[in-house]
Amino acid sequence: MTYTTQLDAAKKKIITKEMKCVAEKEHMAPELLCEKIAAGRVVIPANIMHTSLSPEGVGEGLRTKINVNLGISKDCYNIDAEMKKVQVAVDMKAEAIMDLSNYGKTRAFREAVVNTAPCMIGSVPMYDCVGMLDKELKDITEDEFLKVIEQHAKDGVDFITVHVGLTRALAEKVKDSRRITHIVSRGGSLLFAWMLANNKENPLTSQFDQILDICEKYDVTLSLGDACRPGSIHDATDTLQIQELINLAALSQRAYAHNVQVMIEGPGHVAIDDIEANMLLEKRLCNHAPFYVLGPIVTDIAPGYDHITSAIGASIAASKGADFICYVTPAEHLRLPDLEDMKEGIIAAKIAAHVGDIAKGIPGAIERDHAMSRARFDLDWNTMFELAIDSEKPKAYRANSQPIEEDSCTMCGKMCSMRTVKKVLHGDDVNLM
Amino acid sequence: MTYTTQLDAAKKKIITKEMKCVAEKEHMAPELLCEKIAAGRVVIPANIMHTSLSPEGVGEGLRTKINVNLGISKDCYNIDAEMKKVQVAVDMKAEAIMDLSNYGKTRAFREAVVNTAPCMIGSVPMYDCVGMLDKELKDITEDEFLKVIEQHAKDGVDFITVHVGLTRALAEKVKDSRRITHIVSRGGSLLFAWMLANNKENPLTSQFDQILDICEKYDVTLSLGDACRPGSIHDATDTLQIQELINLAALSQRAYAHNVQVMIEGPGHVAIDDIEANMLLEKRLCNHAPFYVLGPIVTDIAPGYDHITSAIGASIAASKGADFICYVTPAEHLRLPDLEDMKEGIIAAKIAAHVGDIAKGIPGAIERDHAMSRARFDLDWNTMFELAIDSEKPKAYRANSQPIEEDSCTMCGKMCSMRTVKKVLHGDDVNLM
């Protein structure tokens, strides 16, 4: 092989088979895609060990992708139950699955996910440390953190989240901040605790070069985590968040120089009028690296409906440049999502991604809306169901509420505007009685 | 009485009891509210016959309000079933109900709604014409249209939608347009059919002065309907829509001069990057009259989930100046909404209104988010439920998924970032095993 990673290949103007595949999926010239990867504006997370992968690109000019979180934990460690979620994510065409397992047979589960799913697999090795090493957090050594990362890389994970922007200096500022929710990143909070318990620098930051070596070897894409992402709109766009983003920008340049592909992770809870500035800042500070957002959730007061609050934020984020959306389910802030929550979350994230793609001018996006609208005007229900983001629910709705007039629905009946206008345009009488 | 309408009173600097009530609800000085009404920037829809009303203001500087549509129709003419929806709307604190009844005992239903509901009641008299007059659409005379409007005014309706911007000249342009979904406004489509069948001007436009007389007499607020609102993102912000808005702007000035309060109705289906311009245009062209939006729905391809697509659009619209949001339920485009659909629609609209209020800086809006975030950091579940837009669903979620650790939820268990950070800040050990 004449290159290590997709980024190394792109810098050498080599078009890999992964690039060809992504270019075809995206209706983009492979040369242009290659240029964008070389510029660090697009990544193709594709671990060389993940042989079942159907590669996807993330970044500028490409379709907005969505990620589904799942994994085994102390409250839900049944591997079979969790594998059902993997199947749902694959069936519903999520482009990525993050395995956030933190308890039980995490390696067996990870291997099963990598072997089963053709989508990109991500993980947060930090979550797995306590379980895999069977040691209390504060007793884990720097070297052991690296071992877990290497294990995930060997196991075929395509991208890993590392919270390297939360330096010791920044952690001290968190302690003294006026934030309401402080740190809501799980990985970030664990590193925060470890640093203060051991009076040391963030072990991922101090060993960033070693992490880059591992990532280059397996072509693992780094997703630079935002430990200081706001967990309340009160805490959004504050000094902690932006200082961490500046730290991540510098680290992303080191990764780029090391031929390791990089995405940046973003908020979080953000009021609606802050979102555009957040997108701009990430793109400017991080040299247009792909932006992976969790939410943003635009209000804190809608537990049970955070698939909606995040779809609002993610739609705006995507339309202003976010490239990758992490799904949020109705169970967010409340419990582990069940299968139904998951489906709701996936659909809401797909809506947001599509809304963003319309604004981005992604080929084929708005055309699907136009086709739907033509079908709607034609009252062609089957075509509508086919074109819908989810076909099941609209089919069920129509099936259980058949109108008196077939060329209408029960919402308007004979008063259907489509029906009326068509009759007028065809020169037919409009009879409403 | 020394004034006719709230607008007449405001022009005379008389502070009415309705203004006092609204000023108190909005934490605004009554004098400022009075000025805004006098300027046409705020309306208080309060028919003098609607004695059970607890008045609400709509417009600049006030909380964003939401409306619930319901009514009896040929596909659902059971008055008792529909009255249950009225009760749900009232219980869930919708500020307005539009009675869109078009079949059966519409007057009896309307009277029941007006007598039951303390919220603003709106209607579209056009819908009621065929049913109330028991005549085929094209045979209805100009004078009869006025009679229906007068009946609604006498019955205590606080605001009525009249599609007066769809002139005959504009209707001809609709015929020749390249729109995909042409006219999707029900009232608009009926007037379109009537004009072309009778070869006459829009009877509401030609009799606008008579309508103003009726509205002034009962203080009915006019909601100038957008017959040409886009029914697909393809049709948004086109010549038809903007020409109609210009027509409505001119008519709103005539209403203002006649002391009749006016709101303007807006889209519809609009791509996300068009929404802000739509809000700006309405405010500029219509002298900052309150803007009442239906959606906007930001993609056409999510039938079954249009409470989400419209919450996305309405959030942005509200944050950019929309004052009043019509709810959209998951049943939109598919069937009449049932009670569950209604609840989902109301909650989604309330989320959008609140998201807008945060951006507008409405007193008390963001403070509720901050209180929720404090409760969240304290893991104070009861306060969280109290502050939530909907308490039932989050309560049920938590009840059926109790975590092993009480000071967490099953999503993260012992890995809860809040728990970890609090332990660190208190100097306690973080034990994860």
Side-chain angles (χ1 to χ4, degrees), chain A residues 25-201:
Chain A
K25 284 182 181 179
E26 302 279 351
H27 310 286
M28 183 182 271
E31 295 73 17
L32 178 58
L33 181 68
C34 184
E35 274 172 34
K36 286 181 183 288
I37 295 169
R41 293 181 176 216
V42 164
V43 295
I44 299 180
N47 186 316
I48 56 169
M49 308 297 281
H50 187 189
T51 48
S52 66
L53 177 73
S54 172
E56 293 284 353
V58 175
E60 191 183 83
L62 309 186
R63 272 192 317 110
T64 308
K65 307 303 186 297
I66 71 158
N67 173 70
V68 167
N69 287 336
L70 45 78
I72 50 172
S73 63
K74 205 162 190 171
D75 282 290
C76 180
Y77 49 84
N78 182 320
I79 288 190
D80 292 339
E82 214 59 18
M83 283 306 291
K84 271 192 196 142
K85 289 191 185 167
V86 173
Q87 201 52 54
V88 168
V90 171
D91 290 346
M92 292 181 78
K93 299 193 170 48
E95 290 91 358
I97 292 174
M98 284 192 86
D99 169 15
L100 305 185
S101 297
N102 58 53
Y103 179 83
K105 300 183 175 175
T106 57
R107 190 167 177 215
F109 182 70
R110 185 163 58 247
E111 286 178 328
V113 176
V114 171
N115 290 334
T116 305
C119 49
M120 299 180 264
I121 307 301
S123 73
V124 188
M126 193 64 215
Y127 292 177
D128 192 22
C129 283
V130 177
M132 177 173 152
L133 300 169
D134 197 24
K135 280 175 93 165
E136 195 49 76
L137 174 70
K138 68 175 190 312
D139 302 326
I140 298 174
T141 66
E142 277 119 323
D143 194 50
E144 285 171 332
F145 284 119
L146 279 187
K147 284 214 171 86
V148 177
I149 290 175
E150 187 157 29
Q151 189 63 55
H152 281 232
K154 277 185 187 166
D155 290 343
V157 169
D158 301 301
F159 63 100
I160 58 169
T161 296
V162 286
H163 298 92
V164 286
L166 180 64
T167 57
R168 182 72 203 277
L170 191 56
E172 291 297 333
K173 285 189 187 163
V174 170
K175 270 174 66 182
D176 302 330
S177 85
R178 293 172 148 193
R179 285 190 154 196
I180 292 180
T181 46
H182 302 274
I183 294 176
V184 297
S185 150
R186 274 201 292 188
S189 70
L190 299 177
L191 287 163
F192 178 69
W194 188 92
M195 281 189 268
L196 295 178
N198 289 285
N199 195 23
K200 285 189 174 174
E201 180 53 275

Side-chain angles (χ1 to χ4, degrees), chain B residues 222-253:
Chain B
L222 278 181
S223 188
L224 300 187
D226 53 336
C228 294
R229 76 164 172 270
S232 50
I233 61 175
H234 177 275
D235 296 349
T237 329
D238 71 350
T239 312
L240 297 173
Q241 186 199 322
I242 306 306
Q243 180 62 58
E244 185 181 35
L245 184 63
I246 290 170
N247 295 353
L248 295 181
L251 292 160
S252 73
Q253 288 309 301

